[in-house]
Structure formats: C-alpha cells, structure tokens
Amino acid sequence: MKLEQNATHNFPKESHSMSNVVVKLIVLTLALFLMQGLAQAQQSKVLQVLYVIPKGQTAKPDANQAIAAIMAIIQRHYHQQLGVTFALKNPLVTTVNSPQDTAGAIDWNNHVNLIKTTLAHDYLVNQNVVFAILEGTVGDAGGSWNTVKMTGNFWNEAYQAYKTNPATLPSKLHGWSHELGHAFGLLHTSDAKTCFANQKVDLGNLPSLIMQKSNDLGSVYNYPFLPQEKKLLLDPTYYPMCRPFLSESAAGSKPRPHASEHLKHPLPAAARSITFSNQAGYVAKMVVVYFVMQNAGGTQVPIAKALQTPSIPVGQSKTLEIPRDNAKGMPISVVIEGIGTTKGKVLETTVPEGFNGNLCFKSWGTIFNAQGGPCQ
C-alpha cells in the first residue's frame, strides 16, 4: 500500500513536469514565429515589375533586359533628386498572361486585382511597390496605392529606344518617373499647389517638373521635384493631406506604406556595359576583349576574356555587361566586324578598363564603305 501511495503521489509530479516542457515548447515556438514575422515586417520593401501580356498579345523578345535598363535609370533619377532611392527586387520582372484583352487590362480595377492575385504576398504582405507594364495597350498611364499602370504606348517608345539607340533612353522616361511619383502618393504639382495654398504655403511659379511637365527638357534627369515634393516623399509628417494617393478609395482602406519606407537606399553600384547598334546596310557583330588576373604557376598574369554579340541586322542593338574585376592598366578592346564587307573589321578601338556606365558603338555605311564609331 505504501508503494501504491508513493506511485500515486509521484504521478502528478511527472505530469506537471511534462506540462511545463510542453508549455515551454509552445512559448518557444510562438516566440520564433513572432520573431520571424517581425523580421519579415522589417525587411526592405522593394520595387518589382509585373509584365502583363493581355489576351492576344505577345511578349517582346528582350523585354526583361529593356525593363532592367529602364528601372536602373529611374532608380538613378530618384537618387539624383533625393539623395536616396528605392531598391529593386531580384529577380526584377514577373511575366503573367492576363485573361483580359487590351481594353480590359488597362481598366484600373482590373490592373489592381491582377496585382493582388498574381503578387499577393509581395504586394499585400511584403508591401512592395509594383510597376505593371501592359503589353499592347494604348491609353493613359496611371499610378496610385504603390502601383503603376504603364501602358503600351509608353512601353513601345522606351523599348524601341533601348533596342535602336540606348543613349536616348533617358529622354523617353519622364512619364515613368512621373507615374512612380503618383504611386508614392504625390499629386500633380498644380493640384499640390492648391493643397499647399490651403495650408498657407505658396509654391510660386512652377517650372517643368517630374510631377508637372510643361516643357520638354529631354533627359529625365533634367526634371526635378520641388523642395516641398521632396519633403512629402521623405517626411511622413509633412502635410499628409497633400499626398493622398496612398489609400484605396474604399472606406476604411488601410494606407500603403509612406514613400520614406521605400526611399531610403543608396544607389547600388551600377552595372557597366557596352552597347552595339547596327545602323548599317549589312549584318555585323561586336567583340569585346578584357583581361583578368589569374594565377599561373604561382604568378599573377593577365588572361584575355572575350565577349561577343550575335550577328545582328540593321536596326537592332545588343548590350554586353562588362565585369569589374579587370586587370589594372589593361585597356578593353572593342571590335565591330561587318559580315561580308570589303573591310571586315569596321571598328577597332579601346576603352579604359575602369570605365563606368554604358558605352555605345555603332556601325553604318554599306558593304563597300563600312564604318564604325561611337553612337554620339
């Protein structure tokens, strides 16, 4: 009986100990879950692109490369104006086939619903900015609620510039930076002027701006934000009534993140590249040779590496991205070869191994008078 009493007495202790372990495990699990949620909430919000192919349309062959070039320019434009910029998602582009035709795809509600269904986690949970490009559509672009709807007429112009003369691409992108300003909450500057006037702030005479284009200034880099618009983007407490485009129109809609949650990044080290544009009456290609240091028998020696474009016909261009780990003091060789020309090599030149940005070379002329040189 005594043993039975002891057994009866010991059982609750064992059960109580096991309960403590279970409770601790539950608490630990919840803590890990909350920490994961907090880390996710604190992760950087990024900009990403949704390339929408409406019913009956076809994706452009070099769309991803063109979009990357466009977004890098807009990213640099915002940094030029604000001293900070947005981060781009990697990979940048998601392509989706829309069940809508072109007329349906440009409807604002259809545009937003496609983002919410296709990129639900990115847009609703991570709260990324989504820049949608609608292939084959015609009409006005738009921006609001951390989204951009960029229609086909803007896209076609930018794509053609990228393909035929990349040096002109920045001159085609005012509308792209403008609509992104709306996605970050900004009004047209003329409307903001009225809003600020109601707050006893006079914006004065308005030049040609990102949010109010009155004159063509060429490159997108020539269009500024007003100082007050910069504060609207960087200071959540600065006249919030003058940046109304962060909340959906439905009653009780939760506002999207303020622009300052996106615009807080340094400009990333830009990829550098060399573009070949064929403006000739013959097929041509470009070959680029650079040098890297490699170990050979215990000694570092320069080793040649070659990149080349495919042979392309007149009216096309191709871009080669050039690595940065080049051998110091070893210039990069650029050669354009004209296929079937009497001259063969229509351009032989070099560029410094430490160049930055994009360089562009072109070919022109005929098979009997083939020539090559810089694009500008």
Side-chain angles (χ1 to χ4, degrees), residues 196-207:
F196 274 101
N198 293 334
Q199 310 303 318
K200 311 302 181 186
V201 177
D202 183 9
L203 297 188
N205 296 326
L206 302 179

Side-chain angles (χ1 to χ4, degrees), residues 20-312:
N20 284 342
V21 171
V22 171
V23 169
K24 288 178 180 178
L25 286 172
I26 292 173
V27 170
L28 180 59
T29 301
L30 288 173
L32 290 172
F33 179 79
L34 290 172
M35 288 174 64
Q36 183 180 15
L38 181 61
Q40 187 177 57
Q42 291 176 337
Q43 71 178 4
S44 293
K45 298 172 176 62
V46 296
L47 183 148
Q48 62 189 109
V49 175
L50 184 65
Y51 182 33
V52 181
I53 314 300
K55 186 167 57 178
Q57 299 299 309
T58 303
K60 289 180 168 51
D62 293 324
N64 284 13
Q65 297 94 315
I67 291 168
I70 290 167
M71 291 302 157
I73 292 171
I74 299 171
Q75 186 184 46
R76 182 173 292 274
H77 183 207
Y78 271 69
H79 187 271
Q80 174 206 58
Q81 287 297 307
L82 303 171
V84 288
T85 191
F86 51 87
L88 296 172
K89 187 178 181 183
N90 185 20
L92 174 62
V93 182
T94 300
T95 301
V96 61
N97 292 307
S98 170
Q100 305 283 342
D101 60 15
T102 54
I106 63 172
D107 176 82
W108 181 260
N109 289 329
N110 290 340
H111 153 74
V112 174
N113 287 336
L114 185 63
I115 290 173
K116 288 181 176 179
T117 53
T118 305
L119 299 175
H121 191 81
D122 288 322
Y123 182 66
L124 298 174
V125 179
N126 293 342
Q127 298 193 307
N128 291 345
V129 172
V130 178
F131 204 116
I133 299 171
L134 281 57
E135 181 63 59
T137 59
V138 177
D140 293 335
S144 193
W145 315 339
N146 286 171
T147 75
V148 171
K149 178 190 75 173
M150 189 53 63
T151 47
N153 37 313
F154 290 91
W155 165 230
N156 289 341
E157 182 183 39
Y159 184 80
Q160 285 304 117
Y162 170 79
K163 291 288 291 181
T164 60
N165 192 357
T168 67
L169 184 56
S171 68
K172 313 299 181 184
L173 300 182
H174 173 272
W176 298 65
S177 275
H178 175 95
E179 297 304 340
L180 184 57
H182 286 320
F184 284 136
L186 295 182
L187 293 161
H188 288 131
T189 311
S190 58
D191 296 324
K193 182 179 174 74
T194 301
C195 179
F196 274 101
N198 293 334
Q199 310 303 318
K200 311 302 181 186
V201 177
D202 183 9
L203 297 188
N205 296 326
L206 302 179
S208 200
L209 301 158
I210 297 173
M211 301 310 299
Q212 191 75 42
K213 182 179 179 180
S214 54
N215 296 303
D216 187 352
L217 302 180
S219 170
V220 68
Y221 297 121
N222 296 332
Y223 293 90
F225 286 119
L226 288 180
Q228 294 84 355
E229 291 172 323
K230 294 179 183 181
K231 289 195 71 172
L232 287 174
L233 291 172
L234 298 178
D235 183 355
T237 67
Y238 184 71
Y239 297 117
M241 70 290 296
C242 295
R243 46 166 177 75
F245 292 157
L246 288 180
S247 297
E248 296 190 32
S249 54
S253 294
K254 182 180 178 181
R256 296 289 298 177
H258 182 261
S260 61
E261 296 188 39
H262 299 279
L263 299 168
K264 60 182 183 180
H265 300 278
L267 191 67
R272 59 184 194 153
S273 57
I274 300 177
T275 297
F276 168 48
S277 176
N278 188 3
Q279 301 174 21
Y282 48 84
V283 173
K285 68 178 181 180
M286 179 178 70
V287 180
V288 174
V289 178
Y290 62 96
F291 292 85
V292 298
M293 300 301 293
Q294 290 187 358
N295 188 294
T299 304
Q300 291 288 313
V301 296
I303 302 295
K305 301 283 185 178
L307 299 170
Q308 69 177 38
T309 68
S311 298
I312 58 175

Side-chain angles (χ1 to χ4, degrees), residues 297-362:
T299 304
Q300 291 288 313
V301 296
I303 302 295
K305 301 283 185 178
L307 299 170
Q308 69 177 38
T309 68
S311 298
I312 58 175
V314 62
Q316 291 193 13
S317 64
K318 291 291 181 181
T319 298
L320 299 175
E321 186 168 325
I322 310 301
R324 288 191 172 273
D325 58 341
N326 297 164
K328 302 299 181 186
M330 301 288 291
I332 297 171
S333 168
V334 179
V335 175
I336 295 177
E337 299 179 9
I339 311 302
T341 63
T342 57
K343 193 174 183 180
K345 294 181 179 180
V346 303
L347 174 70
E348 293 183 87
T349 189
T350 61
V351 299
E353 91 285 348
F355 84 92
N356 290 308
N358 174 261
L359 302 176
C360 182
F361 296 93
K362 66 182 180 181

